Amino acid sequence: TTLSSGTIYHSRVLIRCSSSERGGQQRSNAAVRVNGAAAPLLAPATDGRERSRQNIPTEKQAEDPFRQAQIVEGGVRYQQTVVVRSYEVGPDRTATLETILNLLQETALNHVWMSGLLGDGFGATHGMIKSNLIWVVSRMHVQVDHYPLWGDVLEIDTWVGSSGKNGMRRDWLIRGRGSGNIYVRATSTWVMMNKNTRRLSKMPEEVRGEISPWFIDRHAIHEEATEKIIKLDSNAKHVDSDLKPKRSDLDMNQHVNNVKYVRWMLETIPDQFLQHHQLSSIILEYRKECGSSDVVQSICQPDEYSVSPSENVSMVRGPSLLPEVINGHHSLAGALQQWPTKYTHLLQLKAGEGYEEIVRGRTTWKKKL
C-alpha cells in the first residue's frame, strides 16, 4: 500500500521456510534408509514454547489472508497466491528451478499448517509425534511447461493422496492466476520413518485417521511405469568432485537442503548447453542425507541417443554472418550444435575409500525460445 504522503511504500510479508535462518538442531549420526537406501529427513519436533511463538493452528483454518491462501474443494485442497520476487529470477528474468522447488516445499508445509494437524512445525502430525515418526521423501518428479516471469502472479494448488499401504503422495499445480495457464506440474512420494531407530514404519491407524480424510484421487502427472534411474560411476563424461556444503546450504536439521542437491547436479552440465537450453523435467530418487562436513561428488552422463530431430540443422555460413557471430560466446554454432536432451545424474559423498549415494537424478531439456 502507498501511504497518504504518496512517497512511502508499506508492505507486510511472511517468512518463507526457504528464507529462514539456516541452523538449529544437531545432526544425527544414524542413517535414514528408504528401500535399502537413505533419504533426507525432516526436522524433529519443536517444543511447546516454539509452537506458541509460531502460532501454529490447532484447528483447521479455511483461509489465511496473510499467505493469500485458502482450503478449497470440499475443504481438502490447498491453494495459495504468490508473486515471483526479483531475487527469485535469473538473468533472463524467469523464475529459477530453485525458486520453483522452494515454492513447492513452502506450499506443502503451509497446507499442513492450515489443516490443524501440524505437530512440530515441519510436517509431522500429532499422531506421528506420539509414535516418534517423521516423513521422508523417497521420490520427486517435476515438469516445467513454462517458467514464470518476474512479477507474475501465480496460483499454486497442492493436495495429498494415498501411495500404497503406508505411503503418501503429494502433488502440485502452478498456474498463472489471470490466465489459468499451467506452468509447473509436480508429484512426490513420502514414507514414514521412526526418528529414533531410523527404520521405515507402517502407518499407525491414528495417523491414517488424521490424514486419509485429506486424500484426493487426482494426479498432477500421470506416470505409468516409473523407470529406474541407473547408477553412474566415476567414468561418466562430466564429474565435479570436492563439493562442500556452505552454512547457508543447511536446513533446520543441519542437513543440506534438497534444493542444493539440484544445484550441484546442474553445475556439471556444460555452460554452452545451458546457454541455449532449459530444463523441462527432473526426476529425483533420494538415498541419503548430506551433512555440513560431507564432501560431495557430482556425476553427469548425457544420453547420446536423445538428440532432438530439431537439432539437425545445417549451418549456412553466408557472407552477412561475421565469424564472432558464428563462433562467439553466444554463437549460432552453440545454438545449433547437436546436444543430447536427456542426462542422468548422481550425487554421492565420500565415505572412507569409497562413496555413498545421496540422490540419483534424471533431467530432460528443451531449446530456449
Side-chain angles (χ1 to χ4, degrees):
T1 57
T2 302
L3 301 187
S4 57
S5 64
T7 58
I8 300 176
Y9 179 80
H10 178 73
S11 178
R12 292 180 179 178
V13 298
L14 276 169
I15 301 298
R16 296 179 182 174
C17 63
S18 58
S19 306
S20 59
E21 178 70 21
R22 303 299 185 189
Q25 306 296 328
Q26 292 299 314
R27 182 186 179 196
S28 169
N29 293 322
V32 183
R33 301 210 165 260
V34 175
N35 297 327
L41 61 110
L42 296 182
T46 55
D47 59 25
R49 290 173 300 175
E50 183 68 17
R51 178 184 177 86
S52 175
R53 177 176 177 267
Q54 291 182 281
N55 296 317
I56 298 175
T58 57
E59 296 180 353
K60 178 179 175 181
Q61 308 294 307
E63 60 182 18
D64 185 336
F66 290 106
R67 288 182 172 83
Q68 299 188 47
Q70 59 184 336
I71 301 293
V72 297
E73 193 171 336
V76 291
R77 177 165 53 88
Y78 178 82
Q79 188 175 85
Q80 181 174 348
T81 301
V82 301
V83 179
V84 180
R85 300 170 177 175
S86 59
Y87 58 82
E88 295 174 324
V89 301
D92 57 358
R93 297 192 178 189
T94 64
T96 64
L97 180 63
E98 186 173 336
T99 293
I100 291 171
L101 295 176
N102 280 329
L103 288 175
L104 299 184
Q105 176 178 268
E106 177 71 15
T107 50
L109 292 173
N110 289 346
H111 186 194
V112 185
W113 179 292
M114 287 187 63
S115 72
L117 297 176
L118 190 60
D120 69 353
F122 215 63
T125 68
H126 304 292
M128 292 174 65
I129 291 177
K130 292 179 183 177
S131 302
N132 289 319
L133 297 176
I134 58 176
W135 288 114
V136 291
V137 58
S138 60
R139 189 175 186 274
M140 177 168 279
H141 183 185
V142 181
Q143 291 181 351
V144 184
D145 296 336
H146 305 283
Y147 284 85
L149 295 169
W150 171 35
D152 276 353
V153 182
L154 307 177
E155 194 170 77
I156 305 177
D157 287 82
T158 183
W159 63 93
V160 292
S162 63
S163 178
K165 292 183 179 180
N166 298 300
M168 184 181 75
R169 189 191 73 253
R170 177 172 287 279
D171 289 34
W172 295 264
L173 278 179
I174 300 181
R175 298 184 178 94
R177 191 171 188 272
S179 66
N181 294 333
I182 295 177
Y183 288 94
V184 179
R185 312 166 192 263
T187 186
S188 59
T189 304
W190 299 76
V191 292
M192 290 184 184
M193 183 195 69
N194 187 291
K195 69 178 183 181
N196 296 326
T197 65
R198 296 302 193 264
R199 293 183 179 180
L200 294 186
S201 171
K202 293 183 178 180
M203 186 181 295
E205 287 304 315
E206 179 181 0
V207 177
R208 193 182 306 276
E210 287 178 317
I211 65 175
S212 59
W214 294 83
F215 286 175
I216 301 177
D217 187 17
R218 180 188 302 171
H219 298 261
I221 300 176
H222 292 280
E223 298 179 308
E224 296 179 357
T226 56
E227 180 183 354
K228 190 76 172 179
I229 301 176
I230 63 171
K231 181 181 179 181
L232 300 177
D233 57 35
S234 298
N235 295 321
K237 187 170 184 179
H238 306 291
V239 179
D240 192 355
S241 300
D242 297 324
L243 298 170
K244 297 179 181 179
K246 301 175 182 177
R247 181 172 178 79
S248 58
D249 297 329
L250 304 182
D251 60 20
M252 302 181 207
N253 203 37
Q254 290 290 340
H255 294 141
V256 174
N257 187 278
N258 293 340
V259 176
K260 178 62 178 180
Y261 294 160
V262 176
R263 196 186 314 163
W264 279 337
M265 282 183 175
L266 302 188
E267 283 177 355
T268 58
I269 295 180
D271 289 340
Q272 193 177 19
F273 175 84
L274 295 176
Q275 289 171 10
H276 304 287
H277 296 78
Q278 60 184 189
L279 184 142
S280 60
S281 172
I282 184 168
I283 300 174
L284 301 168
E285 293 179 356
Y286 296 97
R287 307 285 172 169
K288 183 180 179 65
E289 76 272 23
C290 174
S292 59
S293 61
D294 290 323
V295 179
V296 177
Q297 183 182 62
S298 179
I299 302 173
C300 171
Q301 178 64 41
D303 184 343
E304 302 296 348
Y305 299 98
S306 65
V307 176
S308 171
S310 63
E311 296 278 274
N312 297 320
V313 181
S314 298
M315 287 279 296
V316 179
R317 294 175 178 266
S320 61
L321 295 181
L322 299 175
E324 55 268 26
V325 174
I326 298 176
N327 299 308
H329 184 62
H330 296 285
S331 63
L332 281 175
L336 300 179
Q337 183 175 345
Q338 293 183 340
W339 290 99
T341 59
K342 295 181 182 292
Y343 287 78
T344 301
H345 306 263
L346 174 65
L347 287 184
Q348 54 186 5
L349 57 84
K350 288 184 178 180
E353 297 298 323
Y355 288 91
E356 294 182 359
E357 293 182 73
I358 302 174
V359 58
R360 296 183 189 183
R362 181 82 168 157
T363 57
T364 304
W365 302 77
K366 62 183 179 181
K367 287 289 275 300
K368 288 183 179 179
L369 297 178

XYZ file of all heavy atoms in Angstrom, residues 76 117 160-162 168 203 205-216:
151
model
N -10.235 -29.697 1.395
C -9.071 -30.594 1.449
C -7.898 -30.125 0.588
O -6.745 -30.460 0.882
C -9.454 -32.036 1.048
C -10.351 -32.663 2.101
C -10.137 -32.070 -0.323
N -3.342 -30.029 11.693
C -2.709 -31.302 12.065
C -1.244 -31.140 12.431
O -0.615 -32.082 12.919
C -2.819 -32.305 10.905
C -4.235 -32.719 10.487
C -4.167 -33.628 9.269
C -4.950 -33.406 11.636
N -2.904 -34.063 -1.302
C -2.273 -35.340 -0.970
C -3.194 -36.491 -1.338
O -4.411 -36.335 -1.474
C -1.903 -35.418 0.527
C -0.797 -34.445 0.861
C -3.123 -35.165 1.406
N -2.588 -37.667 -1.501
C -3.323 -38.887 -1.808
C -2.563 -40.077 -1.268
O -1.428 -39.949 -0.794
N -3.158 -41.239 -1.358
C -2.502 -42.450 -0.851
C -1.471 -42.949 -1.846
O -1.573 -42.739 -3.048
C -3.539 -43.541 -0.581
O -4.186 -43.917 -1.783
N 2.392 -41.836 1.202
C 1.539 -40.704 0.835
C 2.121 -40.042 -0.405
O 3.334 -39.955 -0.567
C 1.468 -39.697 1.988
C 0.513 -38.533 1.725
S 0.476 -37.329 3.088
C 2.044 -36.491 2.807
N 2.103 -47.259 8.700
C 1.319 -46.103 9.092
C 0.365 -46.484 10.221
O -0.525 -47.317 10.031
C 0.529 -45.550 7.900
C -0.207 -44.259 8.188
S -1.148 -43.645 6.760
C 0.182 -43.279 5.591
N -2.797 -46.508 12.722
C -4.191 -46.215 12.427
C -4.559 -44.798 12.849
O -5.380 -44.147 12.199
C -5.096 -47.243 13.117
C -5.055 -48.620 12.472
C -5.404 -48.585 10.992
O -6.392 -47.891 10.633
O -4.687 -49.215 10.191
N -3.962 -44.297 13.931
C -4.252 -42.933 14.355
C -3.808 -41.930 13.301
O -4.536 -40.972 12.989
C -3.559 -42.621 15.688
C -3.818 -41.199 16.172
C -3.110 -40.877 17.483
O -2.406 -41.751 18.023
O -3.261 -39.734 17.963
N -2.646 -42.155 12.737
C -2.147 -41.252 11.700
C -2.988 -41.388 10.436
O -3.319 -40.388 9.783
C -0.659 -41.539 11.404
C -0.169 -40.655 10.267
C 0.184 -41.321 12.654
N -3.339 -42.620 10.077
C -4.190 -42.822 8.896
C -5.519 -42.087 9.064
O -6.046 -41.496 8.122
C -4.442 -44.319 8.690
C -5.058 -44.658 7.329
C -5.316 -46.159 7.215
N -4.128 -46.929 7.489
C -3.183 -47.200 6.603
N -3.306 -46.729 5.372
N -2.129 -47.925 6.926
N -6.043 -42.129 10.290
C -7.287 -41.412 10.546
C -7.138 -39.909 10.442
O -8.092 -39.199 10.092
N -5.928 -39.401 10.730
C -5.679 -37.965 10.631
C -5.600 -37.496 9.183
O -6.174 -36.461 8.814
C -4.362 -37.606 11.332
C -4.403 -37.647 12.842
C -3.041 -37.326 13.434
O -2.022 -37.831 12.932
O -3.005 -36.559 14.420
N -4.869 -38.231 8.347
C -4.546 -37.719 7.018
C -5.453 -38.242 5.900
O -5.609 -37.578 4.878
C -3.068 -38.011 6.659
C -2.813 -39.516 6.543
C -2.139 -37.384 7.678
C -1.406 -39.856 6.085
N -6.075 -39.434 6.074
C -6.869 -40.008 4.984
C -8.065 -39.143 4.585
O -8.433 -39.133 3.397
C -7.321 -41.429 5.336
O -8.095 -41.450 6.511
N -8.704 -38.388 5.507
C -9.790 -37.510 5.045
C -9.328 -36.423 4.084
O -10.162 -35.801 3.407
C -10.319 -36.896 6.356
C -9.962 -37.882 7.415
C -8.628 -38.422 6.987
N -8.031 -36.181 4.009
C -7.486 -35.155 3.118
C -7.095 -35.719 1.755
O -6.723 -34.952 0.852
C -6.257 -34.506 3.763
C -6.586 -33.732 4.995
C -6.740 -34.207 6.264
C -6.836 -32.331 5.082
N -7.055 -33.200 7.137
C -7.124 -32.019 6.435
C -6.829 -31.291 4.155
C -7.412 -30.742 6.870
C -7.106 -29.998 4.590
C -7.395 -29.730 5.931
N -7.176 -37.027 1.576
C -6.717 -37.646 0.331
C -7.661 -37.319 -0.827
O -8.887 -37.354 -0.687
C -6.619 -39.160 0.483
C -5.442 -39.621 1.302
C -5.284 -40.967 1.621
C -4.492 -38.725 1.762
C -4.202 -41.404 2.368
C -3.409 -39.142 2.515
C -3.277 -40.493 2.815
N -7.056 -37.003 -1.971
C -7.773 -36.765 -3.229
C -7.211 -37.721 -4.279
O -6.000 -37.846 -4.424
C -7.605 -35.309 -3.706
C -8.135 -34.325 -2.664
C -8.314 -35.101 -5.047
C -7.916 -32.867 -3.050
